Amino acid sequence: VQTINFETLLDMGFNPLRQVAENMPSVVIRLIDALTAIYKRAETKEDKRAIEKHAKMILNRAEQHFKEPNDLKDLRERSTEVI
C-alpha cells in the first residue's frame, strides 16, 4: 500500500487547479483562500512549508497572467497569512 504525504496531497489537488485557472482571477483568489484556511490548521512546519510553496506558485502565475491590477492586489493581500 502506497502512502501519500501531505505535500503530495496538496500537489494532487492544487497543481491542476492552478494550471487551469491561471487566467481566472476569481478561481485563483479562492485557491489562496483555501490554502489560507488549511495553513491556519496545519500542525507541522513541513505542512506549512508545502502550503507556502503552493501559495508562492499561485502568486507567481498570477503576476504573469492577471491583467487587472486590482485582482493582483487582492490576491497579494489575501496571501499575506501564508507567504
Side-chain angles (χ1 to χ4, degrees), residues 25 29 59 62-63 65-77:
I29 289 167
L59 187 56
E63 288 172 340
H65 293 279
F66 280 17
K67 295 180 182 2
E68 173 54 51
N70 288 314
D71 290 336
L72 187 56
K73 179 179 180 271
D74 187 21
L75 183 68
R76 285 182 177 139
E77 288 171 358

Side-chain angles (χ1 to χ4, degrees), residues 16-57:
L17 293 172
R18 183 189 72 251
Q19 293 162 355
V20 78
E22 65 186 19
N23 292 313
M24 296 183 226
S26 62
V27 175
V28 173
I29 289 167
R30 297 309 167 262
L31 289 175
I32 283 292
D33 289 345
L35 286 172
T36 299
I38 296 167
Y39 187 86
K40 288 178 180 179
R41 290 162 183 81
E43 296 180 1
T44 68
K45 289 180 183 180
E46 293 81 19
D47 291 351
K48 288 186 176 197
R49 276 191 284 254
I51 297 165
E52 290 168 8
K53 178 187 90 170
H54 279 274
K56 287 176 184 176
M57 288 191 292

